[in-house]
Amino acid sequence: RFIGDLRPSVSVTLVTAEPGLHAGSRDKSRWAAFLDISKLYAQEKGQQLYRLIVQPNLHDRWVVFDNKRIYSLGGSAKDAGDKDYFTITAIEPSQDNQTKIADHINTGTEYYGLNVSNHL
């Protein structure tokens, strides 16, 4: 729904976290629905243009464009949908910030992408 208008050649890497051990049924249901949608998106984009990384230590909500522009999302997407206060702030694309993002990607578990052809 949010990235449907991307050019077909745009590569997407999504880093997220699974619900925690004590998550409620609503969060677990959302996770299952997300995975279903991710599998459909993977079929459309293919391994070269879509990666799903699960990172249990993820907290920050960042959007990165072309490794040049970084934005911090002040709340969760569900908060924005609930019409709570929501901010998007430009973040300096410093080496430290780029390294932090790369570490999340490189140390997470790839559910689909370059190394995993069957979506987990």
Side-chain angles (χ1 to χ4, degrees), residues 27-110:
D27 285 338
K28 290 177 183 176
S29 177
R30 281 185 186 149
W31 176 252
F34 164 75
L35 286 178
D36 288 343
I37 293 166
S38 178
K39 289 174 186 176
L40 290 173
Y41 194 67
Q43 288 175 354
E44 291 176 13
K45 294 290 277 185
Q47 285 176 265
Q48 300 301 316
L49 294 177
Y50 176 60
R51 293 180 74 197
L52 173 61
I53 309 291
V54 174
Q55 173 53 261
N57 299 318
L58 188 66
H59 175 71
D60 298 321
R61 297 171 185 97
W62 289 354
V63 176
V64 182
F65 298 98
D66 300 326
N67 293 323
K68 297 175 187 169
R69 294 177 293 155
I70 302 173
Y71 296 90
S72 174
L73 307 180
S76 71
K78 74 174 179 55
D79 292 338
D82 290 339
K83 299 187 173 122
D84 286 344
Y85 290 104
F86 189 82
T87 59
I88 299 174
T89 306
I91 301 294
E92 180 66 33
S94 67
Q95 185 63 45
D96 286 343
N97 286 337
Q98 290 181 1
T99 298
K100 186 174 183 179
I101 292 166
D103 286 347
H104 281 311
I105 293 169
N106 294 331
T107 61
T109 301
E110 189 173 47

